Amino acid sequence: MGSGKPRGINAGRKLKTHRRLQLWADLGYKKQNSGSKWKKPFAEASHAAGIVVEKVAVEAKQPNSAVRKCVRVQLKKNNKRITAYVPRDGGMSFVDENDEVLVAGFGRSGHAKGDLPGVRFKIVKVAGCGLSALWSRKKEKPVH
């Protein structure tokens, strides 16, 4: 009988809105146009693995004066590059370039923590070993 879609001289608005709503069923369109989930580096995950690209030093914001040790990490899942903080005094000595690291958020839901401008992540593991275990000398970093 009918084709299931509205026809007639005044059907344009209904057809147009229906087409606009149906676009969201296409995953590619949804990734491009949705605001939050796909644009975040972790894409809704709690942790992400990556490779250390370079070591960088980030200056603390005013009124503090310090050089915080951070690393640039390229994530495995989507090749995005992020800056991650290396916690603890001397923690940077356990992280080398091209190391595989596990990165977690800073616990502020995507916001920078403290006096680190734009740094939203921290290093948890290096080469499969927990950074705190390395720092407290409970474990040694495996040699490749």
Side-chain angles (χ1 to χ4, degrees):
M1 304 272 272
S3 65
K5 63 176 94 166
R7 298 189 184 277
I9 198 160
N10 295 324
R13 178 181 289 125
K14 181 149 190 177
L15 289 166
K16 185 177 162 186
T17 55
H18 188 258
R19 172 55 42 222
R20 188 182 70 228
L21 293 173
Q22 290 305 308
L23 274 170
W24 290 98
D26 179 19
L27 188 65
Y29 178 87
K30 193 184 268 189
K31 276 187 182 182
Q32 278 181 330
N33 295 288
S34 71
S36 56
K37 181 176 167 184
W38 300 103
K39 295 221 166 64
K40 291 177 183 171
F42 283 11
E44 298 290 285
S46 62
H47 295 69
I51 306 292
V52 175
V53 180
E54 62 175 332
K55 296 181 177 184
V56 291
V58 177
E59 282 192 33
K61 289 198 288 195
Q62 287 291 342
N64 294 347
S65 176
V67 177
R68 307 277 187 228
K69 308 301 184 285
C70 298
V71 289
R72 294 283 289 160
V73 178
Q74 184 162 0
L75 298 180
K76 284 182 174 179
K77 69 191 295 182
N78 51 18
N79 280 337
K80 286 186 179 175
R81 288 192 179 189
I82 59 171
T83 307
Y85 174 66
V86 183
R88 296 186 182 264
D89 187 10
M92 193 67 148
S93 60
F94 300 110
V95 182
D96 298 314
E97 287 190 17
N98 299 321
D99 270 354
E100 188 176 319
V101 292
L102 186 69
V103 185
F106 241 142
R108 292 223 38 225
S109 303
H111 296 285
K113 179 175 176 249
D115 59 8
L116 288 166
V119 180
R120 295 155 40 196
F121 308 99
K122 65 181 176 184
I123 301 294
V124 181
K125 284 185 173 185
V126 182
C129 261
L131 195 61
S132 58
L134 291 169
W135 189 79
S136 60
R137 307 272 184 226
K138 290 185 177 181
K139 282 188 178 180
E140 286 190 5
K141 193 170 155 188
V143 182
H144 297 276

